[in-house]
Amino acid sequence: MKYKFAFLFFLACITLNAQLPKGFVYVHDMIPDLDVELRYYTSNNFVGKPIDGYESNRLILTQQTAKALKYVHEALQEQNLCLKVYDGYRPQRAVNHFIVWAKDLNDTINKHKFYPNVKKRNLFKEEYIASRSGHSRGSTIDLTIIDGNTGIPLDMGSAYDFFGEESWVNHKNLSNKQRYNRQLLQTFMLKFGFRNYSKEWWHFTLRGEPFPKTYFDFLVK
């Protein structure tokens, strides 16, 4: 009986992985010890509730992106540091959820935490939210560095997904330690083939991404 169960479990895993479009992978299969906390699978995000399209805490990326990320992760581990990922592939329906939420000006449950100094009606104008996201192409990732012993994120000077100048890579009002931590993340990510986004210290896209004009909408599950 136990062999039958194991075989059925094996078939279920194959079926689940086969649902991904060609060129995409579950990152855990390539980096088993990667710390993943998909914020849009939870209520700990600027909307304040789980986002459409996120049905599990499974990080999905294009195969090329996952391979490059593995190099970053292994290089950091030599310094007793690790990566923690907050978002990777993002379905278009999740972006659509953001758009609908942004138009409801009365829904500001997490404003104090994520956008205290930005009026919600200006989130599109100031480019904090857009109708298309590079995440939906599968080669963009949001992440930080954590201590290899404690698992505690390094102090980057602002929280992940904080809407404001405090999140700009070269923000001036940082302590020396915060500036060093940001530069450490930038250095390792750029070294292994990623390009950054100057207004979000956590946001990187693989150079030469395989699907530069395709926005996918399959579920994260």
Side-chain angles (χ1 to χ4, degrees):
M1 179 63 70
K2 67 178 182 179
Y3 296 110
K4 181 179 179 180
F5 176 80
F7 179 69
L8 291 175
F9 179 77
F10 174 72
L11 288 179
C13 290
I14 292 177
T15 301
L16 182 61
N17 287 328
Q19 294 176 350
L20 292 180
K22 184 177 181 180
F24 283 81
V25 296
Y26 287 105
V27 178
H28 179 267
D29 293 340
M30 298 181 66
I31 318 175
D33 59 342
L34 182 65
D35 192 337
V36 176
E37 181 190 343
L38 298 184
R39 287 291 183 85
Y40 302 135
Y41 177 61
T42 74
S43 297
N44 185 18
N45 58 62
F46 60 87
V47 174
K49 63 181 63 175
I51 305 302
D52 293 348
Y54 288 83
E55 297 187 356
S56 76
N57 189 51
R58 303 187 76 188
L59 177 63
I60 299 171
L61 291 169
T62 60
Q63 186 171 12
Q64 293 96 319
T65 305
K67 184 177 180 180
L69 190 68
K70 183 177 182 179
Y71 292 143
V72 178
H73 188 62
E74 291 175 345
L76 281 170
Q77 286 183 319
E78 294 178 1
Q79 300 187 26
N80 199 29
L81 299 170
C82 302
L83 291 174
K84 183 182 183 73
V85 178
Y86 295 122
D87 197 28
Y89 160 71
R90 181 186 305 167
Q92 179 61 41
R93 73 191 68 190
V95 180
N96 296 343
H97 189 163
F98 295 159
I99 294 171
V100 172
W101 168 83
K103 292 178 180 179
D104 182 0
L105 300 183
N106 294 318
D107 184 356
T108 57
I109 186 171
N110 275 348
K111 176 178 173 60
H112 67 287
K113 183 176 181 180
F114 292 98
Y115 55 107
N117 302 315
V118 181
K119 294 181 179 179
K120 189 175 181 181
R121 65 172 179 267
N122 292 333
L123 291 179
F124 280 103
K125 179 181 178 182
E126 298 186 26
E127 300 181 343
Y128 293 112
I129 296 178
S131 60
R132 290 288 182 92
S133 169
H135 283 276
S136 300
R137 303 194 298 263
S139 295
T140 293
I141 189 166
D142 295 342
L143 76 178
T144 191
I145 297 174
I146 60 176
D147 184 284
N149 292 324
T150 66
I152 297 174
L154 302 190
D155 182 2
M156 295 291 180
S158 79
Y160 165 64
D161 252 2
F162 183 85
F163 298 162
E165 292 186 15
E166 293 89 336
S167 295
W168 294 10
V169 174
N170 294 321
H171 182 56
K172 294 181 179 180
N173 295 327
L174 297 172
S175 69
N176 289 336
K177 188 62 175 179
Q178 291 166 345
R179 187 173 294 105
Y180 173 82
N181 290 340
R182 286 193 187 188
Q183 192 56 50
L184 184 67
L185 178 61
Q186 297 291 318
T187 297
F188 274 85
M189 293 299 288
L190 272 60
K191 177 180 179 180
F192 291 100
F194 291 89
R195 55 182 170 83
N196 70 354
Y197 175 47
S198 63
K199 293 186 177 181
E200 296 178 350
W201 58 259
W202 56 81
H203 180 110
F204 299 87
T205 300
L206 183 70
R207 294 185 182 277
E209 58 182 305
F211 304 108
K213 296 182 180 180
T214 305
Y215 295 83
F216 294 87
D217 192 37
F218 59 91
L219 296 173
V220 175
K221 63 179 183 178

